[in-house]
Amino acid sequence: MFTKVLLRGGAIVVASTLVLAGAAGSASAHVTVSSPDAKPGGYAKLVFRVPTESDDTSTTKLVVSLPKDHPFAHVGAQVKDGWKVEKTTEKLAAPVKVGDVTLSEAITTVTWTAVKSGIPANDFDEFALSVGRLPEKVDSLSFPAVQTYSDGEVVKWDAPRTEGAEAPEHPAPVLKLAAAITPVAAATDTSKSSSDPLARGLGGAGLLLGLIGLGLGLRPRKKVQS
């Protein structure tokens, strides 16, 4: 009886693991955006990861839309072998100040088009942008994307994410902006690092004195002559 319970429990655990793995796999198959250095007010490299969710077709085109409400003064696109890149500039509804520059027009889309075979079936590729300045007092930026397959199928990754709601089937790539380090935090970190050597020195001295004391305690006692 006990053995049957163990086997049944093991089967449930394995099944749950497979379900979770499948969910993680499907989530990671979305078009996503990430950055190694994005923070408000700075310049950043944006990396768009694009999977080909097909067994027999390839990805031949990617169009990424940039935020019009927070336009970038600078947009540099990665040059990739086998891909042609184009930037589209659009007049803004109203001038926007970005740092020391006031923009009346900005790059609103970047398009990569395959001139060779594109991204093969069940594989992925990455496309990068260098942008700046990033807006301040903004937690995240959305970058809707359109993916085109070799058979003509078009997938729009533009659905907004709603807090507390179920994730949409084709969510728009969203970049979370990390907060910049404040001077107070930087000063705290500096004082902490400067005090560490002193603490380590005192700890080392205490350890040395302890070892000396232990050595003295282990010395053989002299016999007292009567």
Side-chain angles (χ1 to χ4, degrees), residues 59-84:
T59 296
T60 57
K61 188 176 181 180
L62 173 70
V63 181
V64 174
S65 295
L66 308 182
K68 295 181 182 179
D69 52 344
H70 298 291
F72 300 124
H74 167 77
V75 177
Q78 178 187 13
V79 178
K80 293 173 62 68
D81 184 34
W83 294 83
K84 178 180 68 174

Side-chain angles (χ1 to χ4, degrees), residues 15-55:
S16 301
T17 303
L18 291 175
V19 169
L20 291 175
S26 61
S28 63
H30 297 334
V31 173
T32 59
V33 61
S34 62
S35 175
D37 53 2
K39 64 181 181 180
Y43 288 78
K45 175 184 179 181
L46 309 182
V47 180
F48 294 87
R49 176 169 294 188
V50 182
T52 295
E53 297 179 287
S54 173
D55 295 328

Side-chain angles (χ1 to χ4, degrees), residues 175-223:
L175 177 70
K176 298 291 185 180
L177 297 181
I181 299 176
T182 62
V184 174
T188 303
D189 291 341
T190 303
S191 61
K192 181 179 178 180
S193 61
S194 62
S195 64
D196 284 345
L198 177 60
R200 288 194 296 267
L202 292 175
L207 178 61
L208 180 60
L209 291 176
L211 291 175
I212 293 174
L214 179 61
L216 292 175
L218 295 177
R219 288 174 55 188
R221 297 181 181 179
K222 294 182 179 180
K223 295 182 179 180

Side-chain angles (χ1 to χ4, degrees), residues 8 18 44 48 57 69 83 91 100 103 138 160 178 199:
R8 185 177 301 172
L18 291 175
F48 294 87
T57 59
D69 52 344
W83 294 83
K91 186 177 179 62
D100 298 329
L103 302 178
V138 173

Side-chain angles (χ1 to χ4, degrees), residues 46-180:
L46 309 182
V47 180
F48 294 87
R49 176 169 294 188
V50 182
T52 295
E53 297 179 287
S54 173
D55 295 328
D56 52 13
T57 59
S58 59
T59 296
T60 57
K61 188 176 181 180
L62 173 70
V63 181
V64 174
S65 295
L66 308 182
K68 295 181 182 179
D69 52 344
H70 298 291
F72 300 124
H74 167 77
V75 177
Q78 178 187 13
V79 178
K80 293 173 62 68
D81 184 34
W83 294 83
K84 178 180 68 174
V85 61
E86 294 178 293
K87 305 174 191 175
T88 300
T89 301
E90 188 176 330
K91 186 177 179 62
L92 300 175
V96 178
K97 188 171 183 181
V98 180
D100 298 329
V101 180
T102 299
L103 302 178
S104 58
E105 60 179 21
I107 296 174
T108 55
T109 61
V110 179
T111 302
W112 284 273
T113 305
V115 295
K116 294 182 179 178
S117 57
I119 308 173
N122 296 314
D123 285 340
F124 78 94
D125 202 349
E126 293 181 336
F127 302 80
L129 293 176
S130 175
V131 302
R133 297 181 178 264
L134 294 175
E136 299 186 54
K137 299 180 181 179
V138 173
D139 296 330
S140 62
L141 292 173
S142 179
F143 297 87
V146 178
Q147 181 181 12
T148 302
Y149 286 86
S150 57
D151 62 355
E153 180 185 1
V154 176
V155 180
K156 295 182 179 181
W157 301 92
D158 58 358
R161 300 172 186 263
T162 304
E163 188 70 24
E166 186 178 352
E169 184 178 0
H170 298 103
V174 174
L175 177 70
K176 298 291 185 180
L177 297 181

